[in-house]
């Protein structure tokens, strides 16, 4: 039995009109300022929260948020609905910008603060999509827990914090070859676990 997709969330903008995020991005791609304002109002809290968890400072997070929306304004035409939801696309931009900022600042992350799994869930998704995303997050956490502690840290630092192999070797005080092996083997084990 084919399930119909629930209606997408609608956002109000200009003259009482409504649109969903994908429609707003399409309008932003055409330089529609009222659509951009509506998009900003509908998504700023979520994106700011994600950025703040990475940069740890409200003023810096606000600055990064400006960069994120500038990029969204310039790159809205690049959004491809076949590759994910508009919110996922914007979260990816926000996360990457925040990680770039962190790299420039060389900020150390406390390893006991790992809210990164929360970022996998898209609040704009319908309840069914949220349930699936939540189950995927739990599954990923279960599979990560099967790895050795050092290998877990290595993957988290590499993929959440965007650290390079060289930075990981320095941070974890391990040879570069060991770091590369850990990542290669850990990714293989994760893939195997997630495919079961």
């Amino acid at each position: 039995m084919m399930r119909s997709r629930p209606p997408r969330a609608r956002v109000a903008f200009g003259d009482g009109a409504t649109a969903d995020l994908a429609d707003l991005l399409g309008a932003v791609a055409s330089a529609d300022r009222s659509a951009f304002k509506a998009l900003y109002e509908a998504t700023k809290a979520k994106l700011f929260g994600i950025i703040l968890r990475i940069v740890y400072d409200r003023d810096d997070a606000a600055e990064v948020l400006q960069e994120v929306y500038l990029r969204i304004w310039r790159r809205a035409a690049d959004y491809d609905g076949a590759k994910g939801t508009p919110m996922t696309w914007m979260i990816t931009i926000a996360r990457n910008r925040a990680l770039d900022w962190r790299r420039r600042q060389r900020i150390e992350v406390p390893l006991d603060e790992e809210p990164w799994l929360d970022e996998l869930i898209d609040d704009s998704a319908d309840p069914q999509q949220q349930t699936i995303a939540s189950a995927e997050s739990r599954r990923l956490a279960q599979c990560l827990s099967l790895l050795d502690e050092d290998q877990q840290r290595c993957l988290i630092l590499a993929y959440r914090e965007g650290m390079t192999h060289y930075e990981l070797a320095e941070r974890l005080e391990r040879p570069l070859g060991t770091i590369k092996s850990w990542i290669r083997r850990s990714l293989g084990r994760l893939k195997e676990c997630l495919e079961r």
Side-chain angles (χ1 to χ4, degrees):
M1 179 174 158
M2 189 89 158
R3 290 185 184 185
S4 62
R5 288 192 72 180
R8 296 187 287 193
R10 308 291 291 174
V11 176
F13 79 105
D15 298 329
T18 63
D20 63 35
L21 294 180
D23 292 338
L24 288 175
L25 275 174
V28 170
S30 300
D32 182 329
R33 291 181 182 275
S34 65
F36 183 69
K37 182 179 179 186
L39 182 74
Y40 174 80
E41 291 299 326
T43 60
K44 68 181 177 185
K46 173 78 172 174
L47 297 183
F48 182 78
I50 288 167
I51 293 165
L52 185 59
R53 280 183 275 182
I54 296 172
V55 304
Y56 297 110
D57 179 87
R58 294 188 76 76
D59 291 337
D60 293 333
E63 187 176 320
V64 172
L65 187 67
Q66 277 187 316
E67 292 177 24
V68 167
Y69 280 103
L70 183 58
R71 185 165 186 86
I72 289 169
W73 174 257
R74 291 178 176 161
R75 306 288 305 269
D78 294 344
Y79 168 69
D80 180 358
K83 294 181 180 177
T85 67
M87 198 67 200
T88 301
W89 183 74
M90 290 185 287
I91 286 170
T92 300
I93 292 171
R95 183 181 173 280
N96 289 342
R97 281 290 184 202
L99 289 172
D100 288 345
W101 182 90
R102 291 254 329 252
R103 278 187 214 109
R104 289 191 308 263
Q105 304 301 316
R106 290 284 188 223
I107 290 179
E108 291 292 319
V109 182
L111 287 176
D112 58 342
E113 296 180 21
E114 293 300 340
W116 58 277
L117 286 174
D118 295 341
E119 295 171 18
L120 296 177
I121 299 174
D122 182 353
D123 287 340
S124 68
D126 65 70
Q128 181 182 8
Q129 290 171 325
Q130 286 182 1
T131 301
I132 291 168
S134 179
E136 289 172 352
S137 295
R138 282 193 302 279
R139 183 76 180 128
L140 178 58
Q142 286 174 335
C143 290
L144 271 172
S145 72
L146 299 175
L147 301 175
D148 294 335
E149 186 177 330
D150 286 336
Q151 292 173 347
Q152 283 180 32
R153 290 176 66 196
C154 196
L155 280 182
I156 290 169
L157 288 169
Y159 288 94
R160 179 180 182 255
E161 307 305 329
M163 293 180 81
T164 66
H165 290 128
Y166 297 104
E167 292 170 331
L168 287 167
E170 187 177 296
R171 171 89 181 260
L172 301 176
E173 299 176 349
R174 301 279 194 225
L176 182 60
T178 300
I179 296 296
K180 288 180 178 180
S181 291
W182 280 356
I183 290 177
R184 186 178 58 253
R185 283 195 311 249
S186 297
L187 288 174
R189 287 183 65 196
L190 273 182
K191 182 179 181 208
E192 192 176 291
C193 177
L194 290 168
E195 288 176 348
R196 283 189 228 149

